[in-house]
Amino acid sequence: MFTVSMFVERMISKNQLIGLALDCTALDPKAFDPDATEPDIRYFCNDSEWDEFDIDYARIKPTTGPTDTNQLSVGIPDDKALLQFIHKCVTLWNSRPNAHIAVFDSRGGIGAAAYLVVCFMVQKMKITLPEALQAIKESMDPGIFDEGMLRHLQDKFCGQTEIMVPNPPSWHLVWDEYEEENEADGEQETQEKQIVIIPPSKKRPIIGSTPDLLKRQRINEPNPINGLEPCPPGSPKYERAVTVLQQLVELQSAIFPGHQETLMTAEHLHSELTKNYNVSWHPVGRRGLLLILTDGVFFLEPLSDNSLKVSKANGMWFPKPKEPSHSQHRTLLDGVLVLDKEPGGPPAGTPRYLAMDIIAHEGGIVKSKPLPLRFKYLLDGVYGARKRCTDYNFNKECFRFRVKDVFELRKTSFLLSTFLKQVTHPTDGLAFIPNNCEYSITTEKGDPSTAGNRVLIWKHDGNVSPKDLEIKVKALIA
């Protein structure tokens, strides 16, 4: 356990300026030690310990006692304590916006303190509950583990996504006692705590109220699409999608395995681009894989660190080619989700998934086949199966679906001069795709593609001019 001087010295070594210390230890001591005989209201620090470092110190005072005798639900701060916390934070940052605030409680910072921080992030910073909980977890693993507290937060903020309750940390009293009981019974191995999933709240957020979760779920999300339901990491839907993806692409980690794109330079133009390439336009949108299972269709897109963001695409239907009343299973596509500006369409645009490649079809791995054969699976086995299905109302899908056309290399001038002007969604250039190579899966070690089998992206604002590109293409097709 850190003393005040140890904590401050560590922050100084990290060049972090602490302006305020908020002591929340009186809010949840019973949650840490239910059998404690000391008074409920007590603090672990006093003013003098912080004064010598010129750090303001404040105590968040409890106003009501716990209403739940379950020790995993004791210690949830009430609204008055939350208002104290928010007032202290806002006051400090109004006067010292660059200062940090230290918050601690009776449970290592992931009890009452973490609860207050989550409430602050949702109410004042306008982020979603799953994002706030994930931020706490990344800062202090395993994050909030109190099932009662998580259920309270889910209900308080009308959470619409599942929450998986993490195991308590090894030092936590209740978990330690559980392990000791197992050892006393002679068990050789500690049993794992049963996985608990908190379902979405039955309460619906009110538009215009605080918090307005329906709106907040879309903050900072490009091209928000109704019906695209986020699946938080650790939830059953997330784990289901990632597990099947790893099986299909033969990877162990949850990274985005889609092929990497290489920005075309003059060197690529002269040494790599050959007549064995096809050409297409390069759309601007949300790149992602479409995983089609009998129990749902999932959209998997890369985050900045190449990890996965998983969403369930509600209402989507991909029938089997020969059994249109049954869904395809274990089909994996690569494409881009765009917004098409169409006459009579919604002002924001019509969401449409442009499938540009296929990795697996009905469990069969096709990534090693050349592009023309992969496109046959994509056109006949996926797109054609949907066109032949007349018993499903595709208008209720959360986005439209089509295959992104690929042209022979000689069509490059046509795409530059005419086609790009007619496309109804944003584009930033052309994509050159090798014709005779397999689909290149990105692994934990990076992109395995080499010269001659890379997907090359020519951009309007790149360092290869349209004139140089056309000269090179004309020389190749001649």
Side-chain angles (χ1 to χ4, degrees):
M1 179 177 176
F2 280 107
T3 64
V4 171
S5 60
M6 291 169 61
F7 169 77
V8 175
E9 288 171 2
R10 182 165 184 174
M11 294 300 100
I12 292 174
S13 69
K14 294 184 176 183
N15 294 319
Q16 293 185 350
L17 172 65
I18 305 298
L20 172 65
L22 289 178
D23 190 340
C24 304
T25 52
L27 301 180
D28 59 354
K30 285 291 187 181
F32 177 71
D33 186 1
D35 299 323
T37 58
E38 298 178 39
D40 287 349
I41 299 179
R42 67 180 190 272
Y43 297 91
F44 294 164
C45 300
N46 56 60
D47 295 347
S48 60
E49 292 180 276
W50 299 92
D51 283 344
E52 64 179 290
F53 298 103
D54 196 27
I55 295 174
D56 293 336
Y57 171 75
R59 294 171 172 175
I60 304 299
K61 301 175 182 179
T63 55
T64 60
T67 57
D68 192 332
T69 56
N70 182 343
Q71 61 188 17
L72 282 180
S73 300
V74 173
I76 299 175
D78 59 17
D79 289 341
K80 290 183 179 180
L82 176 58
L83 288 175
Q84 291 180 57
F85 181 84
I86 291 176
H87 175 73
K88 296 290 185 183
C89 293
V90 171
T91 301
L92 183 279
W93 280 324
N94 282 341
S95 60
R96 303 175 65 185
N98 295 323
H100 293 268
I101 298 176
V103 186
F104 50 95
D105 57 29
S106 297
R107 287 185 280 179
I110 46 181
Y115 172 94
L116 294 172
V117 172
V118 166
C119 291
F120 184 94
M121 287 192 286
V122 174
Q123 291 187 199
K124 304 299 290 185
M125 299 173 65
K126 310 301 183 185
I127 69 174
T128 66
L129 177 59
E131 290 169 336
L133 292 173
Q134 181 63 24
I136 293 293
K137 175 178 170 55
E138 291 174 358
S139 176
M140 298 174 291
D141 191 63
I144 297 178
F145 58 89
D146 185 322
E147 179 183 340
M149 185 174 287
L150 290 171
R151 290 186 183 277
H152 181 82
L153 286 168
Q154 184 83 306
D155 190 59
K156 179 181 181 68
F157 295 116
C158 307
Q160 298 302 301
T161 56
E162 297 174 333
I163 299 175
M164 185 172 74
V165 181
N167 288 339
S170 59
W171 50 261
H172 188 257
L173 173 71
V174 175
W175 190 240
D176 287 345
E177 290 179 350
Y178 176 79
E179 291 182 334
E180 290 170 4
E181 289 174 3
N182 286 339
E183 292 173 0
D185 292 339
E187 294 183 14
Q188 298 299 316
E189 296 182 0
T190 300
Q191 299 179 12
E192 292 188 359
K193 177 174 177 280
Q194 183 179 3
I195 295 176
V196 177
I197 302 295
I198 298 175
S201 173
K202 295 180 180 179
K203 295 165 59 177
R204 301 296 297 176
I206 302 172
I207 300 299
S209 66
T210 301
D212 181 354
L213 265 298
L214 291 181
K215 290 182 179 178
R216 290 181 188 177
Q217 288 175 348
R218 295 173 173 83
I219 290 178
N220 297 326
E221 179 183 336
N223 304 346
I225 295 172
N226 290 327
L228 204 54
E229 172 196 347
C231 303
S235 67
K237 293 176 183 177
Y238 181 96
E239 296 299 331
R240 166 69 167 154
V242 170
T243 298
V244 177
L245 174 68
Q246 291 173 330
Q247 294 170 351
L248 293 177
V249 299
E250 299 179 336
L251 289 180
Q252 299 298 318
S253 57
I255 65 171
F256 183 75
H259 71 70
Q260 298 295 303
E261 298 175 338
T262 301
L263 183 63
M264 181 184 288
T265 64
E267 182 179 353
H268 294 125
L269 177 67
H270 297 297
S271 64
E272 290 194 31
L273 187 62
T274 68
K275 62 182 180 181
N276 293 323
Y277 271 78
N278 292 94
V279 64
S280 185
W281 72 99
H282 191 249
V284 175
R286 296 167 63 176
R287 167 84 185 280
L289 303 180
L290 206 61
L291 176 62
I292 303 165
L293 305 176
T294 53
D295 50 335
V297 176
F298 296 90
F299 181 60
L300 305 96
E301 53 191 318
L303 297 174
S304 58
D305 60 355
N306 209 40
S307 61
L308 286 171
K309 176 183 178 181
V310 178
S311 303
K312 186 176 181 183
N314 292 313
M316 301 300 295
W317 177 249
F318 290 86
K320 288 176 173 288
K322 296 183 179 180
E323 297 178 87
S325 61
H326 293 78
S327 171
Q328 293 193 26
H329 186 55
R330 296 170 70 89
T331 293
L332 183 62
L333 313 178
D334 188 359
V336 181
L337 195 53
V338 300
L339 288 176
D340 274 318
K341 298 289 187 178
E342 300 176 329
T350 301
R352 178 173 280 108
Y353 185 81
L354 301 178
M356 58 188 184
D357 215 324
I358 184 169
I359 301 169
H361 184 250
E362 294 262 66
I365 309 301
V366 300
K367 66 180 180 65
S368 60
K369 300 183 182 298
L371 183 65
L373 284 180
R374 297 203 303 273
F375 251 71
K376 182 174 177 60
Y377 280 98
L378 186 56
L379 289 169
D380 296 343
V382 181
Y383 182 73
R386 284 169 57 91
K387 295 292 286 185
R388 293 189 294 271
C389 179
T390 59
D391 297 332
Y392 188 78
N393 180 14
F394 290 98
N395 290 326
K396 67 181 183 180
E397 293 182 314
C398 64
F399 51 75
R400 305 291 179 85
F401 179 88
R402 65 166 286 188
V403 175
K404 188 165 81 77
D405 298 318
V406 174
F407 304 88
E408 295 179 354
L409 191 63
R410 61 185 179 86
K411 292 288 188 178
T412 299
S413 294
F414 165 72
L415 266 67
L416 286 172
S417 63
T418 306
F419 187 86
L420 290 180
K421 299 176 183 178
Q422 300 173 346
V423 177
T424 56
H425 53 260
T427 66
D428 60 4
L430 300 178
F432 292 87
I433 307 105
N435 191 40
N436 297 319
C437 299
E438 66 178 45
Y439 183 96
S440 183
I441 295 291
T442 299
T443 68
E444 294 90 340
K445 298 180 179 180
D447 180 15
S449 61
T450 57
N453 69 352
R454 281 192 278 247
V455 176
L456 302 174
I457 305 301
W458 174 87
K459 291 195 173 184
H460 299 292
D461 57 356
N463 58 7
V464 176
S465 68
K467 182 178 179 180
D468 289 342
L469 179 63
E470 291 190 81
I471 291 174
K472 173 65 175 180
V473 169
K474 287 179 180 178
L476 289 173
I477 61 178

